[in-house]
Amino acid sequence: AKQIAKLPRVKQEMVAPPFFPKHDQIAKGGPKVVEVRFVIEEKKMVLDDEGAEVWAMTFNGSVPGPMIVVHEGDYIELTLKNPESNAMEHNIDFHASTGALGGGALTEVSPGEQVVLRFKADRTGVFVYHCAPGGAMIPYHVVHGMNGAIMVLPRDGIKDKNGKQVHYHRTYFIGEQDYYLAKDEEGEYKTYDSAGEDYADSMEVMNTLLPSHVVFNGAVGALTGDGALKAKVGETVLIIHAQANRDTRPHLIGGHGDNVWSGGSFEDTPQTNLETWFIAGGSAGAATYTFKQPGVYAYVNHNLIEAVLKGAAAHFVVEGEWDD
Ligand code: CU
């Protein structure tokens, strides 16, 4: 603790996904303590055009929660606040951290409480974090949106298979979310007046393992239309794809994974030229692609039933000149 007290401290301003906080791709100076603040928000969210809604549980009001970015050797110091207006107890388990159930055992907060957790980013890669308040509440909170990701960069940046730095121009965080909404006798999605009220119904649907929705960034269509992801021809885009609960397989239609860290570790040599890559449930993976042609590219979970019928699709809108 004495050594940590001597380290410089910086505040990282959280931004809502798909965007990333401002960060250096190559670390400047030595390790830092990076201060981050999450406020837990239980809120009603609309999931699709038919008006299906869920009382989501969120870190900072978004599904997924915000991306945190640090470098290997930095310390993350998270203030986790559970406001009095919430109904439930929450906590946080960082897959990037070591011991104490990833922080879960140290961060249980009832409404009206807050806690500070500090851990060292002792390995590089992209990692999921999620709420894990115990027993059936663990999957219940995770499939109500309470998950996000952290990126721990090597201090000298991410590298291709030849060890050369991969410089990226844009970053996008895609958090895939499976929801398990119950229907009434008429086949309409049920609605509830407060967070937690859907618990019994939700348990029933969760036990079928059949999600009602599989979406990117909280809702069907969140990353299309006004929410579409933007890029220009010639730009390299870093895409972080997280799924806290369920396996998935991202695919960029008309593009590739130039460099893919499917398991998330930046210590691994990236795979190249992938058409589709695997993200294991409970993990995040990274991919870069340098756009060669303009146009609208669909980015999907290539279980096409989940993409087209359940909602797991985004759009990249890429500007530039077509190259014949
Ligand atoms: Cu929770």
Side-chain angles (χ1 to χ4, degrees):
K2 264 189 192 161
Q3 286 173 326
I4 297 167
K6 290 180 193 152
L7 297 178
R9 302 178 78 86
V10 289
K11 278 198 173 61
Q12 187 162 86
E13 282 309 320
M14 295 290 94
V15 294
F19 303 107
F20 275 56
K22 280 204 184 96
H23 65 275
D24 297 317
Q25 296 186 35
I26 293 176
K28 289 181 184 138
K32 299 178 176 68
V33 177
V34 179
E35 298 172 7
V36 171
R37 183 178 164 83
F38 283 1
V39 178
I40 296 162
E41 198 181 334
E42 299 165 354
K43 63 191 280 198
K44 192 151 79 174
M45 286 178 50
V46 176
L47 300 187
D48 61 22
D49 288 344
E50 278 130 72
E53 56 183 48
V54 69
W55 276 90
M57 294 178 241
T58 72
F59 294 108
N60 280 9
S62 64
V63 176
M67 175 64 71
I68 301 169
V69 181
V70 299
H71 288 91
E72 185 179 14
D74 289 346
Y75 289 81
I76 294 93
E77 191 173 287
L78 169 76
T79 300
L80 180 66
K81 182 183 165 80
N82 189 359
E84 224 166 79
S85 48
N86 284 339
M88 313 188 82
E89 181 187 296
H90 302 279
N91 70 352
I92 192 162
D93 164 3
F94 278 99
H95 290 192
S97 73
T98 302
L101 304 178
L106 304 171
T107 54
E108 283 161 10
V109 275
S110 295
E113 293 181 339
Q114 72 172 32
V115 67
V116 178
L117 173 75
R118 188 172 64 213
F119 69 94
K120 185 177 184 178
D122 71 348
R123 62 201 63 215
T124 73
V126 282
F127 303 88
V128 158
Y129 63 77
H130 63 89
C131 185
M137 282 296 176
I138 300 170
Y140 178 73
H141 283 228
V142 170
V143 303
H144 281 68
M146 217 160 170
N147 60 84
I150 173 170
M151 178 163 80
V152 182
L153 291 166
R155 298 199 76 80
D156 55 353
I158 57 173
K159 282 154 231 100
D160 69 13
K161 66 180 169 135
N162 300 315
K164 188 172 169 279
Q165 194 211 343
V166 177
H167 177 84
Y168 46 84
H169 301 93
R170 292 176 193 253
T171 48
Y172 289 117
F173 173 28
I174 295 170
E176 184 171 325
Q177 181 69 52
D178 43 329
Y179 291 109
Y180 300 80
L181 269 54
K183 288 181 168 172
D184 61 20
E185 295 80 33
E186 275 91 56
E188 302 290 329
Y189 285 114
K190 289 193 185 180
T191 57
Y192 305 88
D193 292 327
S194 62
E197 219 182 284
D198 69 342
Y199 181 73
D201 290 336
S202 190
M203 285 296 286
E204 222 169 279
V205 185
M206 280 159 56
N207 268 303
T208 67
L209 296 171
L210 298 173
S212 57
H213 297 74
V214 182
V215 304
F216 293 160
N217 291 36
V220 176
L223 301 180
T224 62
D226 288 345
L229 309 168
K230 293 182 172 62
K232 293 191 175 108
V233 169
E235 285 184 338
T236 297
V237 179
L238 174 68
I239 304 164
I240 305 302
H241 193 115
Q243 224 301 6
N245 192 59
R246 198 167 173 275
D247 297 347
T248 186
R249 52 209 72 70
H251 171 83
L252 179 65
I253 301 177
H256 297 90
D258 287 339
N259 296 288
V260 179
W261 298 265
S262 178
S265 172
F266 291 129
E267 299 305 308
D268 293 343
T269 302
Q271 290 179 281
T272 58
N273 300 338
L274 293 196
E275 52 182 331
T276 300
W277 46 101
F278 182 68
I279 306 293
S283 80
T288 66
Y289 182 60
T290 305
F291 283 95
K292 295 183 182 323
Q293 300 284 9
V296 178
Y297 292 71
Y299 174 94
V300 299
N301 166 344
H302 210 293
N303 175 326
L304 295 167
I305 301 164
E306 295 179 7
V308 180
L309 303 185
K310 299 289 184 186
H315 283 159
F316 278 91
V317 176
V318 181
E319 286 177 3
E321 293 292 313
W322 183 266
D323 181 357
D324 284 333

